[in-house]
Amino acid sequence: MKLRIEIAALDVLTLRLFDHIDEANMPWLIAAGQRLRTLFGTDLIDLVPSYTTLMLHYDGQQLSEAEARRRVHAALDGLQPANAEAHGQLHQIPVWYDISVGPDLPRLAQLSGLSIRQVIERHCVRDYSVFALGFVPGFAYMGLVEPELTAPRLSTPRKKVPAGSVGIAERQTAVYPLVSPGGWNLLGRTATRLFDPQREGYSLLTPSDRVRFVAIDRDAFVDLGGDITPMAVEQ
């Protein structure tokens, strides 16, 4: 880990700890977040983690940039990685994998040289770390998928992706919490609500959480309240 501090905006610093996406980064980011929250206390307005960085928004009425930088260095001096499994939660998300709601399953099978069944099995084989939230409320960037499932985003994004759609882009995986445009490769759909204005914190997932996808059949999906409407074919 090598700290680089960059100015992102007024009273906002980007703390760049790593150069590459890696699940091994997460314990360090968790530990850094804990130290920074303790040292900044009420002078901290927000702390936003990502794959390799922490965006730190401090109270410019109380701290100068020089003091904020001093506290950052003090917080990260001698940092040791946290036990990632002791932080956050493990969520099991049931998914109905089917071409009618996961139209890119054949494409992923072709790119990987696997059968559709093997693609599904590979996607369900491990726990994924939640690295960051963004794009739309509740959209969690997770990874890393098995190397053979790596697939580029669609060259032309879809105009409308149904809520609950599960997709892959490069070595990331995610669930669309809301109806939105999107260019990820879609494998299936879940009835789990990742964003709920009535839920405390709104988002089901937060950085440092882990996710395990569980394959279910159509009947189980319907019993959970899932929407079986097939994906519309865009012209």
Side-chain angles (χ1 to χ4, degrees), residues 15 43 45 48 80 94 102-103 156 171 174 198 205:
L15 314 182
D43 295 329
I45 295 176
V48 182
Q80 294 297 315
T156 302
R171 290 198 66 191
Q198 305 304 316
L205 306 177

Side-chain angles (χ1 to χ4, degrees), residues 142-192:
M142 297 177 269
L144 298 170
V145 300
E146 298 295 301
E148 58 266 36
L149 297 186
T150 302
R153 288 173 171 82
L154 304 180
S155 56
T156 302
R158 294 182 172 94
K159 297 176 183 177
K160 185 178 180 180
V161 176
S165 295
V166 180
I168 286 177
E170 301 300 339
R171 290 198 66 191
Q172 305 170 101
T173 187
V175 180
Y176 285 81
L178 308 168
V179 177
S180 65
W184 290 41
N185 301 275
L186 303 182
L187 293 74
R189 193 176 293 171
T190 181
T192 301

Side-chain angles (χ1 to χ4, degrees), residues 63-123:
L63 300 180
S64 66
E65 181 188 325
E67 173 60 16
R69 287 174 177 265
R70 187 198 69 76
R71 291 194 190 185
V72 168
H73 283 291
L76 302 189
D77 182 44
L79 186 71
Q80 294 297 315
N83 179 358
E85 293 191 0
H87 299 270
Q89 301 180 52
L90 174 62
H91 302 266
Q92 290 196 351
I93 296 182
V95 179
W96 178 40
Y97 294 91
D98 190 82
I99 295 174
S100 65
V101 293
D104 299 311
L105 274 171
R107 178 172 183 263
L108 287 169
Q110 182 179 28
L111 288 172
S112 64
L114 302 171
S115 67
I116 288 177
R117 179 177 178 179
Q118 288 173 322
V119 168
I120 295 168
E121 289 173 347
R122 295 288 201 286
H123 191 245

Side-chain angles (χ1 to χ4, degrees), residues 8-59:
L10 184 66
D11 305 337
V12 180
L13 300 174
T14 296
L15 314 182
R16 191 170 301 280
L17 306 185
F18 301 97
D19 294 319
H20 304 288
I21 297 173
D22 194 315
E23 289 171 294
N25 298 351
M26 187 57 65
W28 293 94
L29 291 165
I30 292 171
Q34 291 176 322
R35 287 270 197 96
L36 290 163
R37 289 187 178 91
T38 298
L39 207 58
F40 275 79
T42 58
D43 295 329
L44 180 68
I45 295 176
D46 200 7
L47 188 65
V48 182
S50 186
Y51 297 101
T52 59
T53 64
L54 290 163
M55 188 180 74
L56 186 148
H57 185 188
Y58 61 92
D59 187 347

